[in-house]
Amino acid sequence: NHCPAFIPRKKNTGLIILGKCSPELVPALKKRYAYLVGIDRNPSNYSYDEVICSGEAAAKMAVEWLIALGHKKIAYIGETDKEERYNGYCRALEHTGIPILKGYISNVKLSSEGGYQGANILFDRDCDATAWFCSNDMTAIGAMRAVKEHGLQIPEDISIISIDDIDTAQYLTPMLTTVHIPIEEMGKMAAKTLIDRIEGGHTLPMKISFPFYIAGRESCREYRG
């Protein structure tokens, strides 16, 4: 999040920004690079081209998947501050009339270690959620480890769903149910958009939105009481 040490460059240079970019960094990047393209799960207010796949909508779909399976006690593991995936979790519950309970929310960093810690926080609270929504696959991997260490089974005791669909997801035991985000296609589109911008094909900032879908596998099942 620091400004580039040596600003000069520019002319027809371009930069693809993967993930969140702090507002403080954008002006420095614009001084160094003639063109910027962002790839993220949510649009920003920055005036550059962006290729997006809505994290909020993907999270809402994931939680609605759990609700459709009959789960009403659904915990959240991931970041909550200015996080669209957390907003999607809340929206899905609110839309169905399910209360958002503070004890079901584990605010941790998005990583396997964060997921592990987040799951243990829920266990320490004696959280009775029958399903967990993890903000990304790496967080879910850590959470799954914690579940197994507590002698519980997935999905028999706890159903788990997440977002991303990284390659590892289908090789876990059980295979992870997750929302597929088309990262490779988004990367290709970002490169095409940057080239088109450099060649003068467009001048106004573009927002290109990609679809997503549930990759249903083994880590979720119907709630059986």
Side-chain angles (χ1 to χ4, degrees), residues 190-201:
K192 290 178 181 179
T193 303
L194 182 57
I195 292 169
D196 187 67
R197 168 74 74 173
I198 291 172
E199 293 178 347

Side-chain angles (χ1 to χ4, degrees), residues 7 9 21 29 35 41 45 54-55 84 93 98 116 135 137 141-142 164 169 187 194 196 209 213:
I7 295 274
R9 228 185 214 194
C21 182
L29 291 175
Y35 310 106
R41 293 183 185 85
N45 295 320
S54 174
E84 294 300 324
L93 296 184
I98 298 174
Y116 180 76
S135 283
D137 291 348
I141 289 171
D164 275 347
L194 182 57
D196 187 67
S209 181
Y213 61 84

Side-chain angles (χ1 to χ4, degrees), residues 60-76 89 92-99 101 104 128-133 153-161 177 218-225:
K60 185 172 180 289
M61 174 185 279
V63 177
E64 287 173 343
W65 178 272
L66 295 173
I67 293 170
L69 290 173
H71 295 279
K72 293 183 179 179
K73 297 180 178 180
I74 302 170
Y76 173 88
Y89 162 83
L93 296 184
E94 289 169 348
H95 186 260
T96 322
I98 298 174
L101 302 178
Y104 282 14
D128 62 349
T130 60
W132 294 353
F133 165 59
Q153 293 185 320
I154 305 166
E156 289 80 4
D157 297 304
I158 299 173
S159 288
I160 294 181
I161 193 169
T177 296
E218 299 171 344
S219 66
C220 293
R221 81 167 189 180
E222 291 183 2
Y223 174 66
R224 298 179 184 177

Side-chain angles (χ1 to χ4, degrees), residues 57 85 99 105 121 125 140 162 176 198 205 210 213 223:
R85 283 164 286 189
I105 296 165
I121 288 171
R125 293 176 183 163
S162 59
L176 180 61
I198 291 172
F210 272 70
Y213 61 84
Y223 174 66

Side-chain angles (χ1 to χ4, degrees), residues 23-42:
E24 299 80 14
L25 184 56
V26 174
L29 291 175
K30 286 188 173 182
K31 286 181 181 178
R32 182 167 167 78
Y33 298 96
Y35 310 106
L36 303 177
V37 178
I39 303 176
D40 203 359
R41 293 183 185 85
N42 300 288

Side-chain angles (χ1 to χ4, degrees), residues 110-198:
L110 302 185
S111 65
S112 55
E113 181 60 27
Y116 180 76
Q117 293 173 351
N120 282 316
I121 288 171
L122 295 177
F123 284 128
D124 289 344
R125 293 176 183 163
D126 292 324
C127 175
D128 62 349
T130 60
W132 294 353
F133 165 59
C134 300
S135 283
N136 68 6
D137 291 348
M138 292 306 297
T139 304
I141 289 171
M144 290 172 75
R145 176 186 159 199
V147 171
K148 292 174 183 177
E149 286 184 359
H150 278 76
L152 301 175
Q153 293 185 320
I154 305 166
E156 289 80 4
D157 297 304
I158 299 173
S159 288
I160 294 181
I161 193 169
S162 59
I163 292 179
D164 275 347
D165 195 18
I166 61 176
D167 288 342
T168 309
Q170 58 187 310
Y171 298 106
L172 298 171
T173 304
M175 292 188 291
L176 180 61
T177 296
T178 181
V179 180
H180 178 82
I181 304 295
I183 292 294
E184 185 174 341
E185 292 85 351
M186 291 171 71
K188 291 177 181 177
M189 179 56 70
K192 290 178 181 179
T193 303
L194 182 57
I195 292 169
D196 187 67
R197 168 74 74 173
I198 291 172

